[in-house]
Amino acid sequence: SRSALYSAFFEPSAEIRASIDRVVRKHLGRRPRRVLDPACGPGLWLNHFQRQGAEVAGCDLEPRAIALSQQRLAKRGSRVLVGDMRRPPDELGADFDCAINLDNSIGHLADYMDVAEHLASIRHRLTPRGVYIVGLAIREPGDEIDPGIVYERGPVDIEGGGFAALRTESLGLQPVSRCERIRQIAITANVPDTPAVIAEQYDLLTFTFEMLRDVMQAAGGFDVLACLDATDEALPAKPFRKGAGDVVLVLRPAAARAKVRRPTRSKRASKATRR
């Protein structure tokens, strides 16, 4: 809700921008023409792609983030609305060749049914050869996360005055829900209408490998084009497998596979085919 702070803390670095551009070019063969961000916040990634000439669209639950996004983006060639990532507003359009949703925003959804609804909605918005670049966490029941600092930023100047610093800590996986508990503390100085300390705590969904495959299938099916290490801004490739950890996946809607009816030559062969 404090979008000026959010923008200062989470402005993508030059390295991650270059890495995402490389990933998009590899899997699209060109720069994207139409980009959707279903949890766009103040429009940081949409601004990046609009500067490259793409038409951009996005939504976010927070009206103040959307207001800042509308200020940041050129009105021509952009559309950003208040909306839910589970089912972005129809007014945003369709036929996107790229959708992007990094930093495990998908982990903020309440449960796996919400995730399936979200993925199905994105699948329907993409062109057949479009890609969805999404950050998430793959954890198996025996996996653990050592508590500690996972992100620090600042002090940085804040648009409108003052400066602030942020620390994000992981408190580890919760034993029952298997969610990763996150604590964030922002310290500000001379930022108008902002407390000196803002502390929050929240849980992020994680996925077992099999659960993720099931959720993608329930959403209509995706092919995994690449699995990348989300802890390194160079986004090096890593195996898509159990316990992969924090990853960025490049997904493409799976083509509908027609069922092939095999001819049977005997009663025994017919039984085998039915099995």
Side-chain angles (χ1 to χ4, degrees), residues 30-85:
R30 54 172 170 75
R31 288 181 175 179
R33 298 189 179 102
R34 302 192 72 238
V35 178
L36 172 67
D37 186 339
C40 68
L44 300 177
W45 277 106
L46 294 182
N47 186 44
H48 171 72
F49 286 110
Q50 188 179 63
R51 288 179 175 178
Q52 297 179 358
E55 295 182 15
V56 299
C59 64
D60 198 277
L61 285 174
E62 175 51 56
R64 282 170 285 190
I66 290 298
L68 184 56
S69 183
Q70 291 170 338
Q71 295 173 21
R72 173 173 281 117
L73 299 171
K75 291 184 179 179
R76 185 174 182 178
S78 69
R79 178 171 292 184
V80 287
L81 300 170
V82 175
D84 192 324
M85 67 184 291

Coordinates of all heavy atoms in Angstrom, one line a residue, residues 30-85:
R30 N 12.4 -13.2 -29.9 CA 12.3 -11.7 -30.2 C 11.9 -11.1 -28.9 O 11.6 -11.7 -27.9 CB 11.3 -11.5 -31.3 CG 9.9 -12.1 -31.0 CD 8.8 -11.6 -31.9 NE 7.6 -12.4 -31.8 CZ 6.7 -12.3 -30.8 NH1 7.0 -11.4 -29.8 NH2 5.7 -13.0 -30.7
R31 N 11.8 -9.8 -28.9 CA 11.2 -9.0 -27.8 C 9.7 -9.3 -27.8 O 9.1 -9.4 -28.8 CB 11.5 -7.5 -27.9 CG 12.9 -7.2 -27.6 CD 13.1 -5.7 -27.7 NE 14.5 -5.3 -27.4 CZ 14.9 -4.0 -27.4 NH1 14.1 -3.1 -27.8 NH2 16.2 -3.8 -27.0
P32 N 9.1 -9.2 -26.6 CA 7.6 -9.4 -26.5 C 6.9 -8.2 -27.1 O 7.3 -7.1 -27.0 CB 7.4 -9.6 -25.0 CG 8.5 -8.9 -24.4 CD 9.7 -9.0 -25.2
R33 N 5.7 -8.5 -27.6 CA 4.9 -7.4 -28.2 C 3.8 -7.0 -27.2 O 3.4 -5.8 -27.2 CB 4.3 -7.8 -29.5 CG 5.3 -8.1 -30.6 CD 4.7 -8.4 -31.9 NE 5.7 -8.6 -33.0 CZ 6.0 -9.8 -33.4 NH1 5.4 -10.9 -33.0 NH2 6.9 -10.0 -34.4
R34 N 3.3 -8.0 -26.4 CA 2.2 -7.7 -25.5 C 2.5 -8.4 -24.2 O 2.7 -9.7 -24.2 CB 0.8 -8.1 -26.0 CG 0.5 -7.4 -27.3 CD -1.0 -7.6 -27.7 NE -1.9 -6.9 -26.8 CZ -2.8 -7.4 -26.0 NH1 -3.0 -8.7 -26.0 NH2 -3.6 -6.6 -25.3
V35 N 2.6 -7.7 -23.1 CA 3.0 -8.3 -21.8 C 2.0 -8.0 -20.7 O 1.4 -6.9 -20.6 CB 4.3 -7.6 -21.3 CG1 4.8 -8.2 -20.0 CG2 5.5 -7.9 -22.4
L36 N 1.7 -9.1 -20.0 CA 0.7 -9.1 -18.9 C 1.5 -9.3 -17.6 O 2.2 -10.3 -17.5 CB -0.3 -10.1 -19.1 CG -1.3 -10.4 -17.9 CD1 -2.2 -9.1 -17.7 CD2 -2.2 -11.6 -18.1
D37 N 1.2 -8.5 -16.5 CA 1.7 -8.8 -15.2 C 0.5 -8.8 -14.3 O -0.2 -7.8 -14.0 CB 2.6 -7.6 -14.7 CG 3.3 -7.9 -13.4 OD1 2.7 -8.7 -12.6 OD2 4.3 -7.3 -13.1
P38 N 0.1 -10.0 -13.8 CA -1.1 -10.2 -13.0 C -1.1 -9.8 -11.6 O -2.0 -9.8 -10.9 CB -1.4 -11.7 -13.2 CG -0.1 -12.3 -13.2 CD 0.8 -11.3 -14.0
A39 N 0.1 -9.4 -11.1 CA 0.3 -8.8 -9.8 C 1.3 -7.7 -9.9 O 2.4 -7.7 -9.3 CB 0.8 -9.9 -8.8
C40 N 0.9 -6.7 -10.6 CA 1.9 -5.7 -11.1 C 2.4 -4.7 -10.1 O 3.4 -4.0 -10.4 CB 1.3 -5.0 -12.4 SG 0.0 -3.9 -12.0
G41 N 1.7 -4.5 -9.0 CA 2.1 -3.5 -8.0 C 2.2 -2.2 -8.7 O 1.3 -1.8 -9.5
P42 N 3.2 -1.4 -8.4 CA 3.4 -0.1 -9.1 C 3.9 -0.1 -10.5 O 4.4 0.9 -11.0 CB 4.3 0.7 -8.1 CG 5.1 -0.4 -7.5 CD 4.3 -1.6 -7.4
G43 N 3.9 -1.2 -11.1 CA 4.2 -1.3 -12.6 C 5.7 -1.3 -12.9 O 6.1 -0.9 -14.0
L44 N 6.5 -1.8 -12.0 CA 8.0 -1.8 -12.3 C 8.4 -2.6 -13.5 O 9.1 -2.2 -14.4 CB 8.7 -2.3 -11.0 CG 8.5 -1.5 -9.8 CD1 9.2 -2.2 -8.6 CD2 8.9 -0.1 -9.9
W45 N 7.9 -3.9 -13.6 CA 8.2 -4.7 -14.8 C 7.5 -4.2 -16.0 O 8.0 -4.3 -17.2 CB 8.0 -6.2 -14.5 CG 9.1 -6.8 -13.8 CD1 9.2 -7.1 -12.5 CD2 10.4 -7.1 -14.3 NE1 10.4 -7.6 -12.1 CE2 11.2 -7.6 -13.3 CE3 11.0 -6.9 -15.6 CZ2 12.5 -8.0 -13.5 CZ3 12.3 -7.3 -15.8 CH2 13.0 -7.9 -14.7
L46 N 6.2 -3.8 -15.9 CA 5.5 -3.3 -17.0 C 6.2 -2.1 -17.6 O 6.3 -1.9 -18.9 CB 4.1 -2.9 -16.7 CG 3.2 -4.0 -16.2 CD1 1.8 -3.5 -15.9 CD2 3.1 -5.1 -17.3
N47 N 6.8 -1.2 -16.8 CA 7.5 -0.1 -17.3 C 8.8 -0.5 -18.1 O 9.1 0.1 -19.1 CB 8.0 0.8 -16.1 CG 8.6 2.1 -16.5 OD1 8.2 2.8 -17.4 ND2 9.7 2.4 -15.8
H48 N 9.4 -1.6 -17.6 CA 10.6 -2.1 -18.3 C 10.2 -2.5 -19.7 O 10.9 -2.2 -20.7 CB 11.2 -3.3 -17.5 CG 12.2 -4.0 -18.2 ND1 13.5 -3.5 -18.4 CD2 12.2 -5.3 -18.8 CE1 14.2 -4.4 -19.1 NE2 13.4 -5.5 -19.4
F49 N 9.1 -3.3 -19.9 CA 8.8 -3.8 -21.2 C 8.2 -2.7 -22.1 O 8.3 -2.7 -23.3 CB 7.8 -5.0 -21.0 CG 8.5 -6.2 -20.6 CD1 8.3 -6.7 -19.3 CD2 9.4 -6.9 -21.4 CE1 8.9 -7.9 -18.9 CE2 10.0 -8.0 -21.0 CZ 9.8 -8.5 -19.7
Q50 N 7.5 -1.7 -21.5 CA 6.9 -0.7 -22.3 C 8.0 0.2 -22.9 O 7.9 0.6 -24.0 CB 6.0 0.2 -21.4 CG 5.2 1.3 -22.3 CD 4.3 2.1 -21.4 OE1 4.8 2.9 -20.6 NE2 3.0 2.0 -21.7
R51 N 9.1 0.4 -22.2 CA 10.2 1.1 -22.7 C 10.8 0.4 -24.0 O 11.5 1.0 -24.8 CB 11.3 1.3 -21.7 CG 10.9 2.3 -20.6 CD 12.0 2.4 -19.6 NE 11.7 3.5 -18.6 CZ 12.5 3.8 -17.5 NH1 13.6 3.1 -17.3 NH2 12.1 4.7 -16.7
Q52 N 10.6 -0.9 -24.1 CA 11.1 -1.7 -25.2 C 10.1 -1.7 -26.4 O 10.3 -2.3 -27.4 CB 11.4 -3.1 -24.8 CG 12.5 -3.2 -23.8 CD 12.8 -4.6 -23.4 OE1 12.1 -5.6 -23.8 NE2 13.8 -4.8 -22.5
G53 N 9.0 -1.0 -26.2 CA 8.0 -0.9 -27.2 C 6.8 -1.8 -27.1 O 5.9 -1.9 -28.0
A54 N 6.7 -2.6 -26.0 CA 5.6 -3.5 -25.9 C 4.3 -2.8 -25.4 O 4.4 -1.8 -24.6 CB 6.0 -4.6 -24.9
E55 N 3.2 -3.3 -25.7 CA 1.9 -3.0 -25.1 C 1.9 -3.7 -23.8 O 2.2 -4.9 -23.7 CB 0.7 -3.3 -26.0 CG 0.6 -2.6 -27.3 CD -0.6 -2.9 -28.0 OE1 -1.5 -3.6 -27.4 OE2 -0.7 -2.6 -29.2
V56 N 1.4 -3.1 -22.7 CA 1.5 -3.7 -21.4 C 0.1 -3.6 -20.7 O -0.6 -2.7 -20.9 CB 2.6 -3.1 -20.5 CG1 4.0 -3.4 -21.1 CG2 2.4 -1.6 -20.2
A57 N -0.1 -4.6 -19.8 CA -1.4 -4.6 -19.1 C -1.1 -5.3 -17.7 O -0.2 -6.2 -17.6 CB -2.5 -5.3 -19.8
G58 N -1.8 -4.9 -16.7 CA -1.6 -5.5 -15.4 C -2.7 -5.2 -14.4 O -3.5 -4.3 -14.7
C59 N -2.7 -5.9 -13.3 CA -3.7 -5.6 -12.3 C -3.0 -5.9 -10.9 O -2.0 -6.5 -10.8 CB -4.9 -6.5 -12.4 SG -4.7 -8.3 -12.2
D60 N -3.6 -5.3 -9.9 CA -3.2 -5.5 -8.5 C -4.4 -5.2 -7.6 O -5.2 -4.4 -7.9 CB -2.0 -4.6 -8.2 CG -1.2 -5.0 -7.0 OD1 -1.7 -4.7 -5.8 OD2 -0.2 -5.7 -7.1
L61 N -4.4 -5.9 -6.4 CA -5.4 -5.7 -5.5 C -5.4 -4.3 -4.8 O -6.4 -3.8 -4.3 CB -5.4 -6.7 -4.4 CG -5.9 -8.1 -4.8 CD1 -5.6 -9.1 -3.6 CD2 -7.4 -8.1 -5.1
E62 N -4.2 -3.7 -4.8 CA -4.0 -2.5 -4.0 C -4.2 -1.2 -4.9 O -3.4 -1.0 -5.8 CB -2.6 -2.4 -3.5 CG -2.2 -1.1 -2.8 CD -3.2 -0.7 -1.7 OE1 -3.5 -1.5 -0.8 OE2 -3.7 0.4 -1.8
P63 N -5.3 -0.5 -4.7 CA -5.6 0.7 -5.5 C -4.4 1.7 -5.6 O -4.2 2.3 -6.6 CB -6.8 1.3 -4.9 CG -7.5 0.2 -4.1 CD -6.3 -0.7 -3.6
R64 N -3.7 1.9 -4.4 CA -2.6 2.9 -4.5 C -1.5 2.5 -5.3 O -0.8 3.3 -6.0 CB -2.2 3.2 -3.0 CG -3.1 4.1 -2.3 CD -2.8 4.2 -0.8 NE -3.2 3.0 -0.1 CZ -3.2 2.9 1.2 NH1 -2.9 3.9 2.0 NH2 -3.6 1.8 1.8
A65 N -1.2 1.2 -5.4 CA -0.2 0.7 -6.3 C -0.6 0.9 -7.8 O 0.2 1.3 -8.6 CB 0.0 -0.8 -6.1
I66 N -1.9 0.6 -8.1 CA -2.4 0.9 -9.4 C -2.3 2.3 -9.8 O -2.0 2.7 -10.9 CB -3.8 0.3 -9.6 CG1 -3.8 -1.2 -9.5 CG2 -4.4 0.8 -10.9 CD1 -3.0 -1.9 -10.6
A67 N -2.6 3.2 -8.9 CA -2.5 4.6 -9.1 C -1.1 5.0 -9.5 O -0.9 5.8 -10.4 CB -3.0 5.4 -7.9
L68 N -0.1 4.5 -8.8 CA 1.3 4.8 -9.1 C 1.7 4.2 -10.4 O 2.4 4.8 -11.2 CB 2.2 4.4 -8.0 CG 3.7 4.7 -8.2 CD1 3.9 6.2 -8.3 CD2 4.5 4.2 -7.0
S69 N 1.2 3.0 -10.7 CA 1.5 2.4 -12.0 C 0.9 3.2 -13.1 O 1.6 3.4 -14.2 CB 0.9 1.0 -12.0 OG 1.2 0.3 -13.2
Q70 N -0.3 3.7 -13.0 CA -0.9 4.6 -14.0 C -0.1 5.8 -14.3 O 0.1 6.3 -15.4 CB -2.3 4.9 -13.7 CG -3.2 3.7 -13.7 CD -4.6 3.9 -13.1 OE1 -4.8 4.9 -12.3 NE2 -5.6 3.1 -13.5
Q71 N 0.5 6.4 -13.2 CA 1.4 7.5 -13.3 C 2.7 7.2 -14.0 O 3.2 7.9 -14.9 CB 1.7 8.1 -12.0 CG 0.5 8.7 -11.2 CD 0.8 9.1 -9.8 OE1 2.0 9.4 -9.5 NE2 -0.2 9.2 -9.0
R72 N 3.2 6.0 -13.7 CA 4.5 5.6 -14.2 C 4.5 5.3 -15.7 O 5.4 5.5 -16.5 CB 5.0 4.4 -13.4 CG 6.3 3.8 -14.0 CD 6.9 2.8 -13.0 NE 7.6 3.4 -11.9 CZ 7.2 3.3 -10.6 NH1 6.2 2.5 -10.3 NH2 7.9 3.9 -9.7
L73 N 3.4 4.6 -16.2 CA 3.3 4.1 -17.5 C 2.7 5.2 -18.5 O 1.8 5.9 -18.1 CB 2.4 2.9 -17.6 CG 2.9 1.7 -16.7 CD1 1.9 0.6 -16.7 CD2 4.2 1.2 -17.3
A74 N 3.2 5.2 -19.7 CA 2.5 6.0 -20.7 C 1.1 5.5 -20.9 O 0.9 4.3 -21.0 CB 3.4 6.0 -22.0
K75 N 0.2 6.4 -21.0 CA -1.2 6.0 -21.2 C -1.4 5.2 -22.5 O -2.2 4.3 -22.5 CB -2.1 7.3 -21.1 CG -2.2 7.9 -19.8 CD -3.2 9.1 -19.8 CE -3.2 9.7 -18.4 NZ -4.2 10.9 -18.3
R76 N -0.7 5.6 -23.5 CA -0.9 4.9 -24.8 C -0.1 3.6 -24.7 O 1.1 3.6 -24.4 CB -0.4 5.8 -25.9 CG -0.6 5.2 -27.3 CD -0.2 6.2 -28.4 NE -0.4 5.7 -29.7 CZ -0.2 6.3 -30.8 NH1 0.3 7.6 -30.7 NH2 -0.4 5.8 -32.0
G77 N -0.8 2.5 -25.0 CA -0.1 1.2 -25.0 C -0.1 0.6 -23.6 O 0.7 -0.4 -23.5
S78 N -0.9 1.1 -22.7 CA -0.9 0.4 -21.4 C -2.3 0.4 -20.8 O -3.1 1.3 -21.1 CB 0.0 1.1 -20.4 OG -0.5 2.4 -20.1
R79 N -2.6 -0.6 -20.0 CA -3.9 -0.7 -19.3 C -3.6 -1.4 -18.0 O -3.2 -2.6 -18.0 CB -4.9 -1.4 -20.1 CG -6.3 -1.6 -19.4 CD -7.4 -2.1 -20.3 NE -7.7 -1.1 -21.3 CZ -8.7 -1.3 -22.2 NH1 -9.4 -2.4 -22.2 NH2 -8.9 -0.3 -23.1
V80 N -3.8 -0.7 -16.9 CA -3.7 -1.3 -15.5 C -4.9 -1.0 -14.7 O -5.4 0.1 -14.7 CB -2.4 -0.8 -14.8 CG1 -1.1 -1.3 -15.5 CG2 -2.3 0.7 -14.9
L81 N -5.4 -2.0 -14.0 CA -6.6 -1.9 -13.3 C -6.5 -2.6 -11.9 O -5.7 -3.5 -11.7 CB -7.8 -2.6 -14.1 CG -8.1 -2.1 -15.5 CD1 -9.0 -3.1 -16.2 CD2 -8.6 -0.7 -15.4
V82 N -7.3 -2.2 -11.0 CA -7.5 -2.9 -9.8 C -8.1 -4.3 -10.1 O -9.2 -4.3 -10.7 CB -8.3 -2.1 -8.7 CG1 -8.5 -3.0 -7.5 CG2 -7.6 -0.8 -8.4
G83 N -7.5 -5.3 -9.6 CA -8.0 -6.7 -9.9 C -7.3 -7.8 -9.2 O -6.2 -7.5 -8.7
D84 N -7.8 -9.0 -9.2 CA -7.3 -10.1 -8.5 C -6.5 -11.0 -9.5 O -7.0 -11.3 -10.6 CB -8.5 -10.9 -8.0 CG -8.1 -12.0 -7.0 OD1 -7.0 -12.6 -7.1 OD2 -8.9 -12.2 -6.0
M85 N -5.3 -11.4 -9.1 CA -4.5 -12.2 -9.9 C -5.1 -13.6 -10.2 O -4.7 -14.2 -11.2 CB -3.1 -12.4 -9.3 CG -3.0 -13.2 -8.1 SD -1.4 -13.3 -7.3 CE -0.5 -14.3 -8.5

